[in-house]
Short mmCIF file of all heavy atoms in Angstrom, two decimals:
data_model
loop_
_atom_site.label_atom_id
_atom_site.label_comp_id
_atom_site.label_asym_id
_atom_site.label_seq_id
_atom_site.Cartn_x
_atom_site.Cartn_y
_atom_site.Cartn_z
N GLN A 432 13.80 -12.71 -27.11
CA GLN A 432 13.65 -11.26 -27.00
C GLN A 432 14.26 -10.71 -25.72
O GLN A 432 14.08 -9.55 -25.40
CB GLN A 432 12.15 -10.90 -27.06
CG GLN A 432 11.45 -11.41 -28.30
CD GLN A 432 12.06 -10.91 -29.59
OE1 GLN A 432 12.46 -9.75 -29.66
NE2 GLN A 432 12.17 -11.77 -30.58
N ALA A 433 14.96 -11.53 -24.95
CA ALA A 433 15.50 -11.10 -23.65
C ALA A 433 16.83 -11.80 -23.40
O ALA A 433 17.57 -12.10 -24.34
CB ALA A 433 14.48 -11.36 -22.57
N LEU A 434 17.15 -12.06 -22.14
CA LEU A 434 18.36 -12.78 -21.81
C LEU A 434 18.25 -14.21 -22.31
O LEU A 434 17.29 -14.91 -22.00
CB LEU A 434 18.59 -12.74 -20.29
CG LEU A 434 18.82 -11.35 -19.72
CD1 LEU A 434 18.89 -11.41 -18.20
CD2 LEU A 434 20.08 -10.72 -20.28
N GLN A 435 19.25 -14.69 -23.04
CA GLN A 435 19.07 -15.90 -23.81
C GLN A 435 19.58 -17.15 -23.10
O GLN A 435 20.50 -17.10 -22.30
CB GLN A 435 19.78 -15.75 -25.17
CG GLN A 435 19.12 -14.67 -26.04
CD GLN A 435 19.69 -14.66 -27.44
OE1 GLN A 435 20.68 -15.29 -27.74
NE2 GLN A 435 19.03 -13.91 -28.32
N GLY A 436 18.95 -18.26 -23.47
CA GLY A 436 19.34 -19.56 -22.99
C GLY A 436 18.64 -19.95 -21.69
O GLY A 436 17.95 -19.14 -21.07
N PRO A 437 18.80 -21.20 -21.27
CA PRO A 437 18.17 -21.65 -20.02
C PRO A 437 18.58 -20.81 -18.82
O PRO A 437 17.75 -20.53 -17.95
CB PRO A 437 18.69 -23.09 -19.87
CG PRO A 437 18.94 -23.54 -21.28
CD PRO A 437 19.46 -22.32 -21.99
N GLY A 438 19.85 -20.38 -18.77
CA GLY A 438 20.29 -19.54 -17.67
C GLY A 438 19.61 -18.19 -17.69
O GLY A 438 19.26 -17.64 -16.64
N GLY A 439 19.43 -17.64 -18.89
CA GLY A 439 18.71 -16.37 -19.00
C GLY A 439 17.26 -16.51 -18.58
O GLY A 439 16.72 -15.61 -17.91
N ASP A 440 16.63 -17.63 -18.92
CA ASP A 440 15.26 -17.86 -18.49
C ASP A 440 15.16 -17.99 -16.96
O ASP A 440 14.26 -17.44 -16.34
CB ASP A 440 14.71 -19.15 -19.12
CG ASP A 440 14.45 -18.99 -20.63
OD1 ASP A 440 14.39 -17.85 -21.09
OD2 ASP A 440 14.35 -20.03 -21.31
N GLY A 441 16.11 -18.71 -16.37
CA GLY A 441 16.12 -18.84 -14.91
C GLY A 441 16.38 -17.52 -14.21
O GLY A 441 15.78 -17.22 -13.18
N TYR A 442 17.30 -16.75 -14.78
CA TYR A 442 17.59 -15.42 -14.24
C TYR A 442 16.36 -14.53 -14.30
O TYR A 442 16.01 -13.88 -13.30
CB TYR A 442 18.74 -14.81 -15.05
CG TYR A 442 19.19 -13.44 -14.60
CD1 TYR A 442 20.25 -13.30 -13.72
CD2 TYR A 442 18.57 -12.29 -15.08
CE1 TYR A 442 20.71 -12.04 -13.33
CE2 TYR A 442 18.99 -11.03 -14.67
CZ TYR A 442 20.06 -10.91 -13.80
OH TYR A 442 20.47 -9.66 -13.39
N GLY A 443 15.73 -14.50 -15.46
CA GLY A 443 14.55 -13.66 -15.62
C GLY A 443 13.42 -14.04 -14.67
O GLY A 443 12.77 -13.18 -14.06
N LEU A 444 13.15 -15.34 -14.56
CA LEU A 444 12.08 -15.79 -13.65
C LEU A 444 12.41 -15.40 -12.21
O LEU A 444 11.54 -14.91 -11.48
CB LEU A 444 11.91 -17.29 -13.77
CG LEU A 444 10.88 -17.91 -12.83
CD1 LEU A 444 9.50 -17.30 -13.05
CD2 LEU A 444 10.86 -19.43 -12.97
N ALA A 445 13.65 -15.58 -11.81
CA ALA A 445 14.05 -15.24 -10.44
C ALA A 445 13.82 -13.78 -10.13
O ALA A 445 13.25 -13.41 -9.07
CB ALA A 445 15.52 -15.60 -10.23
N LYS A 446 14.21 -12.90 -11.04
CA LYS A 446 14.09 -11.48 -10.80
C LYS A 446 12.61 -11.03 -10.84
O LYS A 446 12.23 -10.12 -10.08
CB LYS A 446 14.89 -10.69 -11.84
CG LYS A 446 16.39 -10.99 -11.80
CD LYS A 446 17.02 -10.72 -10.44
CE LYS A 446 18.53 -10.91 -10.48
NZ LYS A 446 19.18 -10.66 -9.19
N LYS A 447 11.81 -11.67 -11.67
CA LYS A 447 10.37 -11.35 -11.66
C LYS A 447 9.73 -11.77 -10.35
O LYS A 447 8.86 -11.06 -9.80
CB LYS A 447 9.69 -12.02 -12.85
CG LYS A 447 10.10 -11.45 -14.21
CD LYS A 447 9.53 -12.28 -15.35
CE LYS A 447 10.00 -11.78 -16.70
NZ LYS A 447 11.46 -11.96 -16.90
N LEU A 448 10.12 -12.92 -9.84
CA LEU A 448 9.56 -13.40 -8.58
C LEU A 448 9.97 -12.54 -7.41
O LEU A 448 9.25 -12.43 -6.42
CB LEU A 448 9.93 -14.85 -8.35
CG LEU A 448 9.21 -15.88 -9.25
CD1 LEU A 448 9.71 -17.28 -8.96
CD2 LEU A 448 7.70 -15.81 -9.08
N ILE A 449 11.14 -11.89 -7.49
CA ILE A 449 11.56 -10.99 -6.42
C ILE A 449 10.54 -9.87 -6.25
O ILE A 449 10.24 -9.47 -5.13
CB ILE A 449 12.97 -10.42 -6.72
CG1 ILE A 449 14.02 -11.48 -6.40
CG2 ILE A 449 13.25 -9.15 -5.91
CD1 ILE A 449 15.45 -11.09 -6.74
N GLN A 450 9.97 -9.39 -7.35
CA GLN A 450 8.92 -8.37 -7.25
C GLN A 450 7.76 -8.86 -6.39
O GLN A 450 7.34 -8.21 -5.42
CB GLN A 450 8.40 -8.00 -8.63
CG GLN A 450 9.30 -7.19 -9.48
CD GLN A 450 8.57 -6.67 -10.70
OE1 GLN A 450 8.26 -5.48 -10.81
NE2 GLN A 450 8.28 -7.54 -11.64
N ALA A 451 7.21 -10.01 -6.76
CA ALA A 451 6.04 -10.53 -6.06
C ALA A 451 6.37 -10.89 -4.62
O ALA A 451 5.60 -10.61 -3.69
CB ALA A 451 5.49 -11.75 -6.79
N TYR A 452 7.54 -11.48 -4.42
CA TYR A 452 7.96 -11.90 -3.08
C TYR A 452 8.11 -10.71 -2.14
O TYR A 452 7.63 -10.73 -1.02
CB TYR A 452 9.28 -12.69 -3.19
CG TYR A 452 9.95 -13.02 -1.91
CD1 TYR A 452 9.41 -13.97 -1.03
CD2 TYR A 452 11.15 -12.39 -1.54
CE1 TYR A 452 10.05 -14.29 0.15
CE2 TYR A 452 11.78 -12.70 -0.35
CZ TYR A 452 11.22 -13.63 0.49
OH TYR A 452 11.85 -13.95 1.67
#
Side-chain angles (χ1 to χ4, degrees):
Q432 304 302 320
L434 297 174
Q435 294 188 350
D440 289 343
Y442 181 95
L444 177 59
K446 299 303 186 180
K447 293 173 184 66
L448 288 178
I449 283 176
Q450 288 191 107
Y452 171 71

